[in-house]
Amino acid sequence: MSEEIKVDYATFSTESTKLDQAITQFEPFTARFTEQTVSRLDGFNSDFIVSLRGTLTNMADDTGPELLATIKSFSQKVQVVANEFETLDKELANQGE
């Protein structure tokens, strides 16, 4: 009993491209975001600004770059899988001829 498995690798590849575009849009927010934000607060004096500056300082940019690296790695693996499906599909099509 064999069932046919259909994989729409073209959609897989399209979604991978969308993921890469999202990464490109997200990337500027991970690089020194809190540092840049804290420096923009210079010159403002209030208890709120002091608290905000402290909060931003405690949020040091250690999660953003890690998350970005993980997402980039995932995206690369998705593209490899899409390429492998396409290659396999072409090989199987050639065998049938």
Side-chain angles (χ1 to χ4, degrees):
M1 173 199 266
S2 66
E3 290 187 36
E4 195 172 303
I5 298 174
K6 293 184 180 184
V7 176
D8 184 2
Y9 60 83
T11 300
F12 215 76
S13 186
T14 300
E15 294 303 315
S16 176
T17 300
K18 288 180 186 177
L19 179 58
D20 286 339
Q21 291 169 347
I23 290 170
T24 300
Q25 290 178 341
F26 177 71
E27 196 164 11
F29 297 102
T30 63
R32 301 179 313 281
F33 174 73
T34 56
E35 289 175 19
Q36 293 171 351
T37 304
V38 169
S39 66
R40 291 179 182 151
L41 298 175
D42 292 343
F44 293 97
N45 293 313
S46 76
D47 292 340
F48 172 73
I49 296 299
V50 170
S51 295
L52 182 58
R53 183 178 282 122
T55 300
L56 289 171
T57 300
N58 288 334
M59 291 173 51
D61 288 335
D62 54 356
T63 304
E66 276 183 40
L67 178 61
L68 183 63
T70 301
I71 292 171
K72 282 182 174 182
S73 174
F74 175 77
S75 176
Q76 291 168 349
K77 290 174 183 174
V78 167
Q79 191 58 53
V80 166
V81 169
N83 292 344
E84 289 295 322
F85 276 132
E86 183 176 8
T87 300
L88 183 59
D89 186 55
K90 288 177 182 177
E91 288 175 2
L92 290 173
N94 289 337
Q95 286 179 1
E97 294 177 356

